[in-house]
Amino acid sequence: MPGFAESFWSSDYAAGLSVLFGKLQQGVMENRQVLTIARLRAEAEETYGQRLRDIAPAADKVSSGFARDDGATVRKAYDGMRSEMQEASRSHQRIAQSIRDLVVNPFSRWCDAHEARVQESQDELQSRIKAHDRQADVVKKLRSNYFNKCRLVEDLEEENKLGFQDPETSPKQAQPIPEIKVQATKEEEPAPADDDDDDIYEIGDEIYQPDQMKKILSPMLSTIKMGETKVPILGTYLNTSAGSDVVEYLQRNMGISSVSYAERIGQDLITNGFLRLIGNVGSTFANSSKLFYQWRPKAFKVSGVPEKKATISRTFSLPTAGSDVSDSPVVGTVSEYLSNWNVLNNSHPNESPSQRLHRESREADEKYKAGVRKLDALRCELEEAIFLHLKFLERCELDRLKAIKTVILDFSGTIGNVIPSLQSTVDKMLLFQETVQPLGDLRYLLENYRTGSYVPKVVVYENYYNKVDEQTFGVDLEARARADRKRVPAIVTTILMYLDQHYPDLEGDEARRGVWLVDVPLTQVHKLRAMVNDGKPVSEEVLGQFDIPIVANLLKQYLLELPDSLVSSHVYEIVRTIYTTPATDTTDTSRIAILQQTLSQLRLTNIATLDACMNHFTRLIDLTSADEEYIADLTSSLAPCILRPRTETSLTMEEKHSVRLVRDLFSHKSAIFGELKRMSTLNHSSSVLSNRPRAISTDESNRKALVEERNRALVEKATASRSRAPSPAPGSRGHRRDRSSGGGPETRFPIQTSPPSSAERHRTSIGSMEGRLKRTSLDVPSLDDAPPAETTNGSAQVPRTVDPEGTADFREPNPARMSTRFIGGKRIPSSPPHEAAPRGVTLEDKPMDD
C-alpha cells in the first residue's frame, strides 16, 4: 500500500492536502476525546474515594452504638467494614492519581505537541501553495501580455504589407481617398514651386483659378472666427479655427446643404495647403468643435488678408504663424532644445513604432520566461516540501495511533494494579487494547481518503511561435523529439545509455536492480532537473555529478511531467477493457494482438520511446536474473510513468491496468514491438509509394550516357569472365534479343521487329515486369532509348553495344546462328541451333535506390 507521499496529490495541490489535514485534525480531536475520558475517570475516582472516606466519619456521629460494645463480633464486623471502606477510599484516590500521572499529564503534553506539529505543517504548506498560486496568476498575466504584444507586431507587419501594395492590388481600392488633383495644361510648362499665380485648385466638384480662389478665401478669413489654440508641450498656434466653424460658414454663405460635402471641401482645403490639423495625428477634416485647424500662410497669401505673426518671446515655443521654420526667430533653438528633451522619460526616444513594438514584444517575452522559471522553481520547492511533510505527517499519525494504544494499556494497568476486583473490566479493556492495530488504521485511512498519486503538473513556457528550444521537462514528447531531430527525445536516450555504461560500476546484480527502486529525495532529483532543463543535449559530465539512482529517477520524473503519459490516456479505456475481459474469453495470443492494435494508434515518437525504455528494462531483468518479486516492484514503480488516466478518480486509483500493461510489455516485448515496427514500415512504404510516384525523366541525353557507361561495364565484366559464341550481325535493326536460356517463350520480353517510336521508347519491357519487380526505378533505357536485355529471373544477359550505324556487334559471329526468321514475334532458327552451356559469372540487375 502506498504511503502518504504517494496518496494525497491533486492538480492544484490544495485539494489533496485539504483531505489529509482534515483527517489529521480529526485525529487531534480523537486525542482530546481519549484525554477527556482519562481525565473524567480520574475525577470520578477521586470523587468516589472522597465519598468513601466520608462514610466512616458519618457513621461515627451516631452515638450509643458500637462504641459501647467492645468485644462483640458484630463490633468487629462493623470495624472491618469501616476500615475496608477507608482502604477503598485510599485505593480509588491512588487510581485517580495514577491516571493523572501515567495517562492524563504525559498524554496531554504529547497531544499539544502533536497538534502543534500538524498545524505548523499545514501553515507552511498553505503559505507555499499561496505563493505558487500567486505566481501562477502572474504567469498568466505575463503570458497574456506577451501574446498581445506578438499579435500587435503581426498586425503591424500585415498593415505594412497591405499599406505598400499597388493601388490596383490594394484591398481598400473601393474606398475613395480624398485628394486634390492639380492638372496642368499641355501647352504650358509647370510653374515654379514658389509661384501660385498659375495654380488651379480643385475644391469640391469645382475647379477654381487663383483669382476665383481669392474671392472665396477673403470673406472666409474675414468672417470665420479665428483665435489661438494651446497644445500641451508643443505650444500655442495662431490663426486657428474649429472644424465646426468652417462647416457652419460653408453652409451659411456658400449654399452647401450637406455636412458631408462641407467636410469634403474642408478636406480639399487641407490638401491644397490652406489648412492643417493641429494637436492630433493625421490630416483629416471633420465637423467637430474639438478639432482645430490652422490657416496656413498660403491662404493669407492667396486671399490678400494680412496674417497675424507670432511675437518674439524669451520662452521656447514652436512656430505658430505657419509651417515655414523661417517665420520664427527661435525655431533653431527650439529644435535643438526639443531634440534633447525627453518629456516622457523614454529610454528609447528615437525608435519607430515598429521597433517599439518589437522591443516591447521581446521584453514581454523575457518577463514571461522569467515568470515561468520562477513558477517552476516554486513548484519544485512546493513538491519537495510536500514530500517531506507528507512523510513526516505519516510518522506523526502512526505515532499517534501507537500513543493511543499505549494510553489504553496504561489506563487499564492503573486500575488493574489497584483493584483486583475489577479484573473482568480490566480484561475487557486489555482485549480492546489488543484490537488496536496502528498499521491497519493507517491503511484504512489511505484506502478511503487518498486523493491521487504524485503526477506533477508543469506550467511550461509557451512560445508564441511554438518553439521549444529552451526547455525539456513538461514539453510534449513529439515536440521535444522534433526539436532534437530524433525519433526519441535526446534526454531519454542519453539517460538510458549513461545507465548502460555505468551498470558495470555497481557491485553485484542486487545493486543494479535496486537502481530503479531506491527512494531518492525529490530535492536531489529537482536539483539535477534544474541543471538539464534547458532544451539542450544532456552532458554526461552533469549526470556524473549525481548518483546513478538519482539519474534513473530523473527519467521517471521526465515521464511523469509529460503532458500526457507515454501510452496516451486516450487508449486508457481500451486497455481497461482488455484487462477487465474475463480470462475465459481471451488468451495470451489474442490479448497481445489487441495490445498491438491499440499501441499502433500511438504516435511514432511515443512508440519509439516506449520501445527504447522496454529494451532497457527487459535487458536489465535478463542480465541480472531478476525474480518475480523484483519484476512486480519494478512494474508498480514504472506503471504511473507509462500509462495514466486522463483524470484520476477514486475508481482509477484502485485499478491495476497500467501495472498489467507494463508486465505484458516486459513478457511479450519482442512480439508486440516487432509487429508494431512491421506495421509502421508497411504504412510508411505505402504512403511513400502512394504519395511520391516516380516521375519520368526527360533528360534523355544524360540517360543515354549513363546507359552507355553501364553497358561498357557489363561488357568488360562479361568478357573477363567468359567467352561467348559468335553471333550473326544484327542486320538492319539497331539491336535484337536472343532467347533467354532456361525460360519458356511466354516469360520472355516481347521482341519488336521494327524500331520503336519515340512515344513507345519510354514504355519498354520494364513495364511488363512491374507486377513482379514492384519497382519503377529500373526504367533505365539502353542506347537509343531501347531496353536492355534481361532474362525472366531478373539476371541480365550480356548486352550488345551498338555502333552509330547499328550494324556492328561486340561478339564474334557464330556460323551456327547465321540464319534467323521471325514468325509471330518469335525467333525461329533456320538450322538447329547449338546451345552452349552457360559458363562464367551471371550478372544480376538489382533494384536501384530511389
Side-chain angles (χ1 to χ4, degrees):
M1 191 67 189
F4 281 13
E6 293 84 18
S7 301
F8 292 100
W9 295 88
S10 59
S11 59
D12 59 350
Y13 299 106
L17 293 178
S18 176
V19 175
L20 173 61
F21 282 110
K23 292 301 296 178
L24 294 179
Q25 293 295 341
Q26 177 184 337
V28 171
M29 296 297 106
E30 292 174 358
N31 294 343
R32 294 181 180 178
Q33 286 180 312
V34 174
L35 191 60
T36 301
I37 289 178
R39 182 181 294 112
L40 292 179
R41 179 59 185 266
E43 293 176 359
E45 293 289 343
E46 178 70 24
T47 302
Y48 186 41
Q50 185 65 35
R51 299 287 295 182
L52 289 176
R53 188 175 58 184
D54 294 340
I55 293 176
D60 292 342
K61 293 179 179 179
V62 179
S63 60
S64 302
F66 288 105
R68 298 180 60 183
D69 193 358
D70 296 332
T73 57
V74 178
R75 170 67 182 272
K76 294 180 179 180
Y78 168 74
D79 291 340
M81 291 176 59
R82 184 175 178 276
S83 61
E84 286 296 328
M85 288 183 182
Q86 291 177 347
E87 183 65 25
S89 173
R90 289 190 293 271
S91 298
H92 283 286
Q93 288 179 349
R94 287 196 299 270
I95 291 174
Q97 189 62 35
S98 298
I99 292 176
R100 292 191 183 96
D101 294 340
L102 299 178
V103 177
V104 176
N105 294 335
F107 189 60
S108 177
R109 292 192 298 270
W110 189 91
C111 288
D112 293 340
H114 175 76
E115 184 177 1
R117 289 191 293 268
V118 173
Q119 191 63 41
E120 288 176 1
S121 295
Q122 186 174 6
D123 293 342
E124 181 178 354
L125 291 180
Q126 282 182 349
S127 64
R128 288 180 177 271
I129 291 175
K130 289 180 180 178
H132 176 271
D133 293 342
R134 286 195 299 268
Q135 184 62 26
D137 293 337
V138 171
V139 167
K140 289 181 181 178
K141 295 178 182 178
L142 292 175
R143 176 182 179 275
S144 177
N145 184 38
Y146 165 57
F147 277 35
N148 289 335
K149 295 295 183 183
C150 292
R151 293 190 187 99
L152 291 176
V153 172
E154 286 187 346
D155 293 343
L156 181 62
E157 293 175 353
E158 291 297 326
E159 290 178 1
N160 292 336
K161 292 179 181 178
L162 298 177
F164 293 100
Q165 287 184 353
D166 295 334
E168 298 179 357
T169 60
S170 175
K172 298 182 179 180
Q173 59 181 348
Q175 300 179 1
I177 301 176
E179 60 178 355
I180 298 298
K181 298 180 180 179
V182 180
Q183 298 179 353
T185 59
K186 297 182 180 179
E187 295 81 2
E188 299 178 355
E189 293 294 333
D194 56 351
D195 188 6
D196 298 332
D197 295 338
D198 297 333
D199 289 343
I200 298 177
Y201 305 99
E202 183 176 353
I203 307 297
D205 294 333
E206 302 293 335
I207 297 176
Y208 299 96
Q209 298 294 331
D211 54 346
Q212 296 175 335
M213 199 67 204
K214 179 178 181 180
K215 295 179 181 180
I216 296 175
L217 288 177
S218 296
M220 289 182 68
L221 295 176
S222 302
T223 306
I224 297 176
K225 180 181 179 181
M226 291 187 189
E228 297 179 355
T229 302
K230 292 183 178 180
V231 177
I233 300 174
L234 299 180
T236 302
Y237 291 85
L238 303 178
N239 304 322
T240 59
S241 301
S244 58
D245 295 337
V246 177
V247 172
E248 182 181 358
Y249 173 82
L250 294 175
Q251 289 181 325
R252 182 178 300 175
N253 299 303
M254 298 184 66
I256 297 174
S257 59
S258 170
V259 175
S260 61
Y261 187 66
E263 288 182 341
R264 180 182 172 188
I265 292 178
Q267 185 66 48
D268 291 342
L269 291 175
I270 293 176
T271 305
N272 283 277
F274 299 123
L275 285 176
R276 71 165 177 172
L277 178 64
I278 62 172
N280 289 276
V281 179
S283 60
T284 303
F285 185 87
N287 178 26
S288 173
S289 60
K290 300 297 180 65
L291 297 179
F292 289 89
Y293 300 87
Q294 184 185 41
W295 294 96
R296 306 188 71 164
K298 182 177 180 180
F300 293 99
K301 181 179 178 181
V302 172
S303 64
V305 177
E307 178 185 3
K308 182 180 179 181
K309 296 289 184 177
T311 59
I312 300 177
S313 175
R314 292 182 177 271
T315 59
F316 295 112
S317 62
L318 288 176
T320 58
S323 61
D324 296 332
V325 296
S326 61
D327 294 338
S328 176
V330 293
V331 166
T333 307
V334 172
S335 301
E336 294 176 0
Y337 179 77
L338 291 180
S339 63
N340 298 322
W341 185 26
N342 190 5
V343 180
L344 301 179
N345 194 21
N346 185 6
S347 59
H348 307 277
N350 298 323
E351 62 183 356
S352 65
S354 176
Q355 293 173 343
R356 179 178 59 83
L357 287 178
H358 280 87
R359 175 180 57 79
E360 292 177 353
S361 174
R362 290 192 300 269
E363 292 175 354
D365 187 16
E366 293 300 327
K367 291 180 180 179
Y368 176 38
K369 288 180 182 178
V372 171
R373 286 194 292 268
K374 183 178 179 181
L375 177 61
D376 194 60
L378 288 177
R379 180 190 62 81
C380 293
E381 293 175 0
L382 174 61
E383 292 176 354
E384 295 168 8
I386 290 176
F387 260 101
L388 294 176
H389 281 273
L390 287 181
K391 293 182 179 180
F392 171 72
L393 292 173
E394 183 177 1
R395 293 195 301 269
C396 291
E397 181 65 14
L398 186 60
D399 292 342
R400 185 189 72 85
L401 297 173
K402 292 180 179 179
I404 293 179
K405 182 180 179 72
T406 303
V407 164
I408 296 175
L409 179 62
D410 295 339
F411 184 75
S412 61
T414 55
I415 300 175
N417 294 334
V418 179
I419 307 177
S421 61
L422 299 178
Q423 188 64 39
S424 60
T425 303
V426 173
D427 292 341
K428 292 181 181 179
M429 296 175 71
L430 290 175
L431 180 61
F432 297 151
Q433 182 267 342
E434 290 294 337
T435 59
V436 176
Q437 298 180 0
L439 293 177
D441 289 352
L442 195 63
R443 178 184 293 271
Y444 172 80
L445 188 151
L446 290 171
E447 289 178 348
N448 291 276
Y449 294 98
R450 61 189 302 234
T451 59
S453 57
Y454 171 61
V455 179
K457 302 298 182 183
V458 184
V459 178
V460 297
Y461 162 73
E462 299 178 28
N463 187 271
Y464 186 78
Y465 305 100
N466 298 326
K467 296 180 180 179
V468 292
D469 298 336
E470 300 182 6
Q471 52 191 351
T472 301
F473 286 76
V475 180
D476 181 71
L477 189 70
E478 187 171 9
R480 184 67 263 165
R482 187 166 55 250
D484 294 337
R485 302 181 182 274
K486 302 290 184 182
R487 179 64 69 188
V488 180
I491 186 173
V492 177
T493 56
T494 302
I495 292 177
L496 294 179
M497 291 174 62
Y498 178 83
L499 294 176
D500 283 335
Q501 294 172 2
H502 289 79
Y503 279 140
D505 299 340
L506 301 176
E507 297 182 359
D509 291 340
E510 187 68 25
R512 298 183 183 100
R513 290 193 298 266
V515 165
W516 294 96
L517 300 182
V518 174
D519 188 9
V520 176
L522 187 62
T523 306
Q524 296 294 325
V525 179
H526 278 168
K527 183 178 179 181
L528 176 56
R529 175 188 179 275
M531 298 175 67
V532 301
N533 188 23
D534 53 6
K536 298 179 177 59
V538 181
S539 173
E540 293 189 3
E541 289 76 8
V542 176
L543 299 179
Q545 301 175 14
F546 295 84
D547 295 336
I548 294 180
I550 298 177
V551 178
N553 276 267
L554 179 67
L555 179 59
K556 290 184 184 179
Q557 188 75 13
Y558 173 77
L559 296 178
L560 286 175
E561 291 188 6
L562 289 176
D564 194 4
S565 55
L566 198 53
V567 177
S568 176
S569 59
H570 294 87
V571 301
Y572 184 83
E573 294 299 328
I574 302 176
V575 175
R576 183 212 297 260
T577 305
I578 294 174
Y579 290 107
T580 53
T581 304
T584 56
D585 297 343
T586 60
T587 61
D588 287 347
T589 304
S590 61
R591 186 178 74 254
I592 298 307
I594 298 174
L595 281 178
Q596 292 169 350
Q597 293 296 327
T598 302
L599 296 179
S600 65
Q601 303 176 22
L602 303 179
R603 299 176 298 184
L604 293 180
T605 303
N606 291 58
I607 296 175
T609 306
L610 183 63
D611 184 23
C613 294
M614 291 302 109
N615 277 334
H616 181 87
F617 292 123
T618 52
R619 188 167 62 251
L620 176 64
I621 292 172
D622 294 339
L623 295 179
T624 59
S625 303
D627 53 7
E628 289 297 325
E629 182 180 358
Y630 173 78
I631 296 177
D633 294 339
L634 183 61
T635 53
S636 299
S637 176
L638 296 176
C641 305
I642 303 301
L643 175 63
R644 298 186 298 272
R646 183 176 305 176
T647 303
E648 194 167 19
T649 62
S650 57
L651 295 178
T652 58
M653 284 188 293
E654 302 299 328
E655 294 174 346
K656 303 296 182 182
H657 308 315
S658 56
V659 177
R660 296 171 184 170
L661 173 63
V662 176
R663 187 60 183 268
D664 276 344
L665 292 177
F666 284 170
S667 302
H668 307 282
K669 184 192 74 66
S670 300
I672 293 175
F673 289 100
E675 180 64 18
L676 289 176
K677 292 177 182 178
R678 189 187 68 82
M679 296 168 64
S680 175
T681 303
L682 289 178
N683 293 335
H684 179 69
S685 300
S686 60
S687 63
V688 170
L689 291 177
S690 60
N691 297 331
R692 295 181 56 194
R694 187 176 179 88
I696 299 176
S697 176
T698 58
D699 190 2
E700 296 297 311
S701 60
N702 187 30
R703 298 181 71 178
K704 290 179 180 180
L706 293 177
V707 171
E708 288 178 355
E709 182 179 359
R710 178 175 178 268
N711 288 339
R712 283 195 298 270
L714 291 175
V715 169
E716 294 173 0
K717 188 75 174 179
T719 55
S721 61
R722 62 180 177 176
S723 60
R724 299 283 297 186
S727 61
S732 61
R733 293 185 297 113
H735 65 275
R736 61 188 180 88
R737 296 179 183 270
D738 293 336
R739 181 187 300 273
S740 301
S741 61
E746 65 276 6
T747 62
R748 295 172 50 230
F749 293 134
I751 299 177
Q752 297 180 350
T753 58
S754 60
S757 63
S758 60
E760 294 174 347
R761 287 173 181 171
H762 297 285
R763 302 190 306 271
T764 54
S765 60
I766 294 301
S768 64
M769 298 183 67
E770 182 180 1
R772 181 157 51 90
L773 294 178
K774 304 297 183 182
R775 298 279 294 196
T776 59
S777 61
L778 294 179
D779 293 336
V780 181
S782 62
L783 188 60
D784 295 333
D785 295 333
E790 294 184 14
T791 60
T792 58
N793 58 1
S795 61
Q797 289 283 359
V798 180
R800 293 182 296 273
T801 56
V802 184
D803 60 354
E805 290 77 20
T807 58
D809 198 316
F810 81 99
R811 293 176 298 181
E812 296 295 333
N814 188 356
R817 302 174 62 182
M818 292 296 295
S819 177
T820 305
R821 294 181 301 161
F822 290 93
I823 300 176
K826 296 182 181 181
R827 180 185 295 106
I828 306 298
S830 58
S831 61
H834 177 72
E835 294 288 342
R839 298 180 301 164
V841 179
T842 302
L843 301 180
E844 295 184 0
D845 190 0
K846 295 185 178 297
M848 297 171 57
D849 293 334
D850 290 332

